[in-house]
């Protein structure tokens, strides 16, 4: 996969007056269909074009929308770019929060663009006559058969704090090709607002799972604007080259067996509240390695060697046992376990 995709055919549309948003949407949908996106994706790409064109009309006197075909190896995709000629978006952070969409527009402003596209970059105002530039890419996901069967087993267990009806914690396990992405997400506090934050993060991660770990954190930061924010840890396994790539922001804990070479560099902060970029590390992953990710609703004072006392126990049963034995009653709690598939 190249660092920058190849741009093919490009159509440019001036955004100056009422009705230009409709023409931009039609152009984006037509190109998306021509590229091979399915009907649902074509409609979502149309929403993105409408939102970006509407932002130009809202925040500047005029501008331009460009729609381009993209290619990157065997992947095909579309790029939608908007350019303001004017002051641009004054508060880019606020524009990503749901509820700030333009009057009469579809979706939820830039938050919808962030959710519906695979990659999003924003250049904020910096020059007198140059507004905001937004670049949004979406790809057709290639359907590849795994080269080898997954050698890993995954299990998770989660519950809300005592006296709460909703869980402010969440977890993700997404498998594709020869990869798995796992994650533990903890919305700040507990109750409805924590649940809202973790849901926003989980929804983004589950629809962008095959992006790089760094890109997923960046997109989740935007997805959680307007919420309390979350702390989270993600780990991406690739069993064709026996590696695991990890990123964390905030106090998601982890434990591994003594033989593991896993390196995790913690970062303080909150995703969604101008949190820092995670320190991304890549380590070797051996068949005998084990990993437990857990939120701060789990007491960390337990010995790793006691976890796999019963080697016939599945990862799911291990996760449930850890939750039962070590969770704190007055906080949301989540455990995610990674072991060898032979353990189950």
């Amino acid at each position: 996969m190249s660092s920058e995709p190849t741009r093919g055919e490009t159509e440019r549309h001036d955004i100056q007056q009422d009705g230009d948003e409709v023409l931009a949407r039609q152009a984006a949908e037509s190109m998306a269909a021509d590229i091979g996106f399915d009907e649902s994706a074509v409609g979502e790409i149309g929403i993105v074009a409408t939102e970006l064109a509407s932002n130009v009309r809202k925040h500047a006197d005029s501008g331009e929308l460009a729609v381009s075909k993209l290619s990157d190896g065997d992947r095909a995709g579309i790029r939608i770019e908007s350019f303001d000629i004017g002051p641009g978006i004054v508060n880019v952070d606020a524009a990503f929060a749901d509820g700030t969409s333009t009057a009469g527009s579809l979706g939820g402003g830039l938050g919808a663009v962030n959710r519906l596209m695979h990659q999003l970059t924003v250049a904020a105002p910096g020059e007198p006559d140059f507004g905001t530039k937004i670049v949004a890419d979406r790809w057709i996901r290639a359907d590849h058969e795994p080269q080898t069967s997954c050698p890993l087993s995954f299990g998770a267990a989660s519950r809300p704090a005592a006296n709460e009806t909703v869980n402010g914690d969440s977890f993700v396990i997404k498998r594709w090709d020869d990869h798995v992405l796992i994650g533990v997400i903890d919305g700040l506090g507990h109750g409805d607002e924590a649940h809202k934050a973790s849901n926003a993060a989980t929804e983004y991660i589950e629809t962008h799972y095959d992006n790089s770990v760094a890109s997923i954190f960046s997109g989740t930061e935007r997805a959680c604007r307007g919420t309390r924010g979350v702390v989270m840890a993600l780990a991406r396994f690739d069993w064709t080259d026996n590696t695991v790539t990890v990123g964390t922001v905030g106090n998601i804990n982890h434990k591994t067996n003594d033989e593991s070479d896993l390196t995790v560099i913690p970062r303080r902060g909150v995703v969604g509240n101008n949190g820092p970029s995670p320190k991304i590390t890549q380590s070797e992953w051996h068949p005998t390695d084990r990993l437990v990710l857990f939120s701060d609703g789990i007491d960390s004072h337990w010995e790793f060697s006691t976890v796999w006392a019963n080697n016939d126990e599945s990862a799911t049963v291990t996760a449930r046992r850890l939750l039962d034995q070590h969770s704190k009653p007055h906080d949301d709690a989540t455990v995610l376990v990674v072991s060898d598939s032979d353990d189950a």
Side-chain angles (χ1 to χ4, degrees):
M1 186 184 301
S2 63
S3 57
E4 176 62 24
T6 301
R7 187 200 302 259
E9 174 190 345
T10 298
E11 297 181 13
R12 300 184 180 276
H13 299 269
D14 291 332
I15 308 299
Q16 297 178 333
Q17 58 189 0
D18 292 343
D20 286 344
E21 298 97 323
V22 176
L23 296 176
R25 174 181 59 80
Q26 291 172 342
E29 290 179 342
S30 176
M31 182 174 287
D34 185 56
I35 291 169
F37 285 95
D38 62 30
E39 183 176 353
S40 175
V42 167
E44 291 172 348
I45 289 166
I47 290 173
V48 169
T50 302
E51 286 292 345
L52 294 183
S54 297
N55 271 318
V56 171
R57 294 278 290 136
K58 180 180 180 180
H59 298 287
D61 294 331
S62 63
E64 182 181 81
L65 196 83
V67 185
S68 304
K69 293 182 178 180
L70 293 181
S71 61
D72 186 5
D74 62 352
R75 297 197 304 169
I78 192 168
R79 171 170 291 176
I80 305 177
E81 298 171 273
S82 65
F83 310 86
D84 292 357
I85 300 175
I89 301 172
V90 176
N91 189 339
V92 174
D93 288 350
F96 279 103
D98 283 338
T100 61
S101 61
T102 55
S105 63
L106 300 172
L110 291 186
V113 177
N114 185 56
R115 289 191 296 271
L116 295 174
M117 302 299 275
H118 290 145
Q119 185 73 31
L120 181 66
T121 57
V122 181
E127 300 177 13
D129 296 321
F130 181 78
T132 304
K133 177 183 178 181
I134 300 174
V135 181
D137 295 345
R138 178 154 172 169
W139 299 94
I140 297 175
R141 285 193 170 105
D143 187 15
H144 296 299
E145 288 293 329
Q147 297 180 29
T148 58
S149 61
C150 179
L152 307 176
S153 178
F154 306 91
S158 185
R159 60 136 186 85
N163 301 319
E164 293 289 352
T165 58
V166 294
N167 195 347
D169 280 5
S170 184
F171 63 88
V172 172
I173 303 173
K174 293 290 290 186
R175 184 182 303 183
W176 77 104
D177 299 344
D178 297 298
H179 309 279
V180 172
L181 179 76
I182 65 167
V184 170
I185 304 106
D186 182 355
L188 294 196
H190 47 80
D192 289 338
E193 293 302 313
H195 179 68
K196 177 183 175 182
S198 66
N199 267 5
T202 303
E203 178 183 346
Y204 183 86
I205 296 166
E206 287 188 337
T207 54
H208 296 77
Y209 59 87
D210 52 351
N211 284 3
S212 69
V213 171
S215 177
I216 294 173
F217 269 91
S218 178
T220 305
E221 166 73 26
R222 295 183 181 124
C224 288
R225 302 270 169 85
T227 74
R228 284 183 178 176
V230 303
V231 295
M232 69 182 197
L234 299 177
R236 173 174 168 153
F237 294 86
D238 182 342
W239 56 85
T240 59
D241 61 6
N242 299 313
T243 60
V244 57
T245 304
V246 179
T248 70
V249 171
N251 58 334
I252 300 296
N253 298 305
H254 79 282
K255 289 196 178 190
T256 61
N257 55 322
D258 292 338
E259 296 80 11
S260 173
D261 294 327
L262 180 68
T263 299
V264 179
I265 302 176
R267 290 297 302 268
R268 291 185 177 182
V270 177
V271 179
N273 284 327
N274 295 315
S277 298
K279 292 288 188 181
I280 306 295
T281 61
Q282 186 176 83
S283 307
E284 290 187 10
W285 185 261
H286 309 111
T288 56
D289 288 343
R290 307 289 183 266
L291 170 65
V292 180
L293 294 178
F294 53 101
S295 66
D296 64 354
I298 300 293
D299 192 325
S300 61
H301 296 97
W302 47 272
E303 294 296 326
F304 193 91
S305 59
T306 65
V307 172
W308 273 275
N310 181 0
N311 289 330
D312 295 329
E313 189 174 77
S314 71
T316 298
V317 171
T318 301
R320 289 173 179 167
R321 180 161 53 83
L322 281 169
L323 184 73
D324 291 341
Q325 294 176 357
H326 300 288
S327 62
K328 305 172 186 177
H330 299 296
D331 198 0
D332 305 318
T334 299
V335 182
L336 199 160
V337 172
V338 183
S339 64
D340 191 320
S341 62
D342 291 339
D343 289 346

